[in-house]
Amino acid sequence: MATTTQDSSMDATQAALLAKVQPAELQEQPLVTNNRDFNWVTDKICRIVETKTPTWWWICMAVALMTASFTGLGLLWLVSSGVGVWGLANPINWGWAIVNFVFWIGIGHAGTLISAVLCLLKQGWRTSINRAAEAMTIFAVVCAGIFPLFHVGRVWFAWWLFPIPNSNGIWPQFRSPLEWDVFAVSTYGTVSVLFWYMGMIPDLSVLRDRAVQRLKKNAYEGAGALAKGMDIFRKNFYAIFAMGWRNAGNHWRNYEMAYLILAGISTPLVLSVHTIVSFDFALAVLPGWHTTIFPPYFVAGAIFSGFGMVLTLMLPLRALYGMHDLITQRHIDNMCKICLGTGSIVGYAYIMEFFIAWYGANPYESFAFINRAFGQYWWAYVMMFSCNVFTPQLFWFKKVRQNWALVWVMSIFINVGMWFERFVITVTSLANDFLPSSWGYYSPTMVDILTFFGTFGLFSVLFLLFLRFLPLMPIAEVKFVMPAADPHGHHGDEKGDHH
């Protein structure tokens, strides 16, 4: 009886304590900060395109064009002289060309993941970065396509890679993963362009309508004839590509359905494209390549390097355009965490490769991995492992993620490490093959170096043109994730119109 009374009194005491407990609510940082309204978002994004071209843009464009000319010179030299000007020699018949191809294809993967997968998962934070990431995907595919195209040697016969009916009855080898690459990458590029362009249609109509409004008001006092001429150009240019968009309800209904369908089509590409790229190596009966871990390992590495490049591009743009309210610390945190997760998967794959080489008890496989880490290319392996495994582990710390300058430097390390990963996989397995008398040491020539570094210039030229003439962010999608867009929310003193 006493025990029962004691238990009931304890229950009453606990109930009283629990009644006093007021658990703190988790405050989630808004995706657009400082109580910005809809009109501010429209104006901020559109003015990047509409205002006078900043000086830094011209400087960057001049440097990018000069750098891109290196690729032109390298390819001209290659076509006029033959692939012998590259550093290829038996047994290393794949060199920088395949390394650079895989590197650039990987760079583009973040755009597809952000646009398609995160869209299907309803991740609102993607809205501020998805347009730039999609553009990055397309430009990276353009840079990647250069290398296999010219790697065939006689580039004027590159169309033979496609199954075009011909009088000679010559067909591609459909059992070759190199042929699969042709279809995978061309499909990837086509779907990425469609996704990117279709998402821009509502924003192009906004730029068209703003130009029309300025022309009607004749608001060019002191601006000169050039400003009016540019608005006439904008009105006609954006009118063509806006395809008659009028913001009507049926337009939005069809747009959202088409966007969802394209997201569904693009999602398998996130997995399939780099899986097929990995088959270039995995289907070869060569120690160091012939392994089943390559498909998931390559996909994780591609997402890892892609998000690294998104950080490399978006952090400077955030500072240059003053877009701290649109690209917030929450966006940076999420991208850093994805880099941390995918970098950890890549590190696990590195370790697992060594374990399987030991566990499989194949002396050739064991030699390939020991040689990879401790042989003549040890320096490349150290660079790869330190950049790809150790660097992203710093993202565990909040203070690191909040230091945007440090995050930017680390994102560059990530991409350097991922390039070295492709170099290590390609070259170390070829340099020391089954015949010791043919072993060699691969060194790139000046043509290799010029062609590769020039592609960064080409990528930069395309990205700078995108910044200058097209909206950097999807205006409507950014508005959808704002508190003012919630019809059931209470927004305090926030005000906004629905332009």
Side-chain angles (χ1 to χ4, degrees):
M1 183 70 180
T3 304
T4 307
T5 307
Q6 186 179 6
D7 290 344
S8 61
S9 63
M10 286 177 62
D11 292 342
T13 305
Q14 289 172 352
L17 286 171
L18 288 172
K20 294 179 181 179
V21 172
Q22 295 180 351
E25 292 184 12
L26 180 62
Q27 296 294 328
E28 195 172 52
Q29 184 186 9
L31 294 168
V32 179
T33 55
N34 287 330
N35 291 334
R36 299 298 188 178
D37 60 21
F38 290 164
N39 189 50
W40 181 89
V41 171
T42 303
D43 200 53
K44 185 69 175 177
I45 296 172
C46 290
R47 284 182 66 80
I48 295 173
V49 177
E50 295 169 344
T51 53
K52 184 181 177 182
T53 308
T55 305
W56 64 262
W57 188 93
W58 290 110
I59 296 170
C60 290
M61 178 58 83
V63 174
L65 284 170
M66 185 178 68
T67 309
S69 68
F70 297 163
T71 293
L73 290 172
L75 295 178
L76 183 63
W77 195 347
L78 171 73
V79 172
S80 60
S81 304
V83 291
V85 298
W86 282 347
L88 305 176
N90 282 329
I92 308 161
N93 291 308
W94 275 6
W96 270 32
I98 194 72
V99 173
N100 301 337
F101 165 70
V102 180
F103 170 77
W104 278 115
I105 289 293
I107 289 294
H109 254 55
T112 313
L113 179 82
I114 292 169
S115 302
V117 179
L118 297 185
C119 172
L120 295 178
L121 295 176
K122 300 188 182 299
Q123 296 296 304
W125 63 272
R126 60 178 275 280
T127 54
S128 293
I129 58 173
N130 71 326
R131 176 72 50 75
E134 289 165 12
M136 186 188 78
T137 295
I138 296 163
F139 306 150
V141 169
V142 170
C143 294
I146 291 171
F147 294 100
L149 181 67
F150 284 85
H151 195 269
V152 299
R154 292 179 289 179
V155 67
W156 48 92
F157 290 140
W159 60 274
W160 285 9
L161 292 167
F162 292 94
I164 298 172
N166 59 88
S167 57
N168 297 327
I170 299 171
W171 297 94
Q173 174 55 277
F174 288 109
R175 288 177 292 179
S176 169
L178 301 179
E179 181 64 22
W180 305 343
D181 266 350
V182 175
F183 293 98
V185 174
S186 57
T187 303
Y188 185 47
T190 304
V191 173
S192 296
V193 169
L194 286 173
F195 208 2
W196 182 58
Y197 170 60
M198 201 196 68
M200 274 195 294
I201 290 175
D203 301 334
L204 295 176
S205 73
V206 172
L207 290 168
R208 173 202 65 196
D209 295 343
R210 285 168 65 94
V212 170
Q213 287 171 8
R214 285 192 298 273
L215 287 167
K216 285 181 178 178
K217 293 177 182 177
N218 199 25
Y220 303 102
E221 290 184 14
L226 180 61
K228 186 172 183 178
M230 285 301 298
D231 269 344
I232 293 171
F233 166 77
R234 290 189 190 104
K235 182 192 75 169
N236 295 303
F237 176 77
Y238 296 127
I240 292 169
F241 289 98
M243 300 178 69
W245 180 274
R246 298 188 311 278
N247 240 11
N250 62 323
H251 287 186
W252 279 110
R253 184 171 60 252
N254 294 334
Y255 168 85
E256 289 179 0
M257 179 57 69
Y259 200 88
L260 193 64
I261 291 169
L262 278 174
I265 294 171
S266 300
T267 298
L269 290 176
V270 176
L271 302 175
S272 65
V273 172
H274 228 62
T275 295
I276 290 172
V277 169
S278 77
F279 287 167
D280 293 350
F281 304 96
L283 294 189
V285 188
L286 190 70
W289 286 5
H290 192 65
T291 171
T292 53
I293 201 175
F294 265 26
Y297 164 26
F298 268 54
V299 171
I303 295 169
F304 180 51
S305 61
F307 270 94
M309 184 61 85
V310 171
L311 285 167
T312 303
L313 294 173
M314 296 307 290
L315 289 175
L317 291 177
R318 179 177 183 252
L320 288 167
Y321 288 124
M323 307 190 82
H324 299 78
D325 293 338
L326 294 171
I327 304 172
T328 66
Q329 184 58 45
R330 183 175 167 189
H331 293 91
I332 298 171
D333 270 356
N334 288 341
M335 287 189 280
C336 288
K337 288 171 185 176
I338 289 176
C339 287
L340 171 61
T342 51
S344 300
I345 293 171
V346 168
Y348 170 79
Y350 294 161
I351 296 166
M352 189 53 59
E353 281 184 319
F354 274 90
F355 172 75
I356 293 299
W358 167 80
Y359 186 73
N362 184 327
Y364 301 107
E365 195 79 15
S366 299
F367 170 79
F369 284 99
I370 292 170
N371 181 60
R372 181 175 288 182
F374 303 106
Q376 57 190 349
Y377 293 104
W378 65 268
W379 51 271
Y381 191 86
V382 168
M383 181 70 77
M384 173 195 80
F385 205 91
S386 57
C387 289
N388 292 346
V389 180
F390 298 143
T391 298
Q393 298 309 312
L394 295 174
F395 288 141
W396 285 104
F397 304 103
K398 188 176 181 180
K399 286 187 178 180
V400 173
R401 299 197 303 270
Q402 289 180 335
N403 186 334
W404 73 267
L406 182 58
V407 169
W408 185 73
V409 171
M410 290 168 65
S411 71
I412 294 174
F413 284 168
I414 287 170
N415 280 303
V416 170
M418 288 308 296
W419 186 89
F420 271 101
E421 179 200 284
R422 281 65 182 249
F423 177 83
V424 165
I425 290 171
T426 303
V427 174
T428 59
S429 296
L430 292 171
N432 302 98
D433 62 359
F434 295 103
L435 193 63
S437 62
S438 69
W439 288 3
Y441 189 86
Y442 172 80
S443 297
T445 64
M446 186 53 68
V447 181
D448 283 305
I449 295 169
L450 286 175
T451 306
F452 173 53
F453 284 100
T455 55
F456 284 98
L458 174 61
F459 179 87
S460 301
V461 167
L462 295 172
F463 197 79
L464 286 166
L465 290 172
F466 158 68
L467 288 178
R468 191 70 208 111
F469 295 104
L470 297 171
L472 177 60
M473 296 179 185
I475 299 169
E477 288 189 53
V478 171
K479 292 177 181 177
F480 288 158
V481 300
M482 293 172 64
D486 182 2
H488 306 292
H490 301 283
H491 317 304
D493 59 354
E494 283 189 346
K495 298 176 182 177
D497 53 42
H498 294 265
H499 293 319

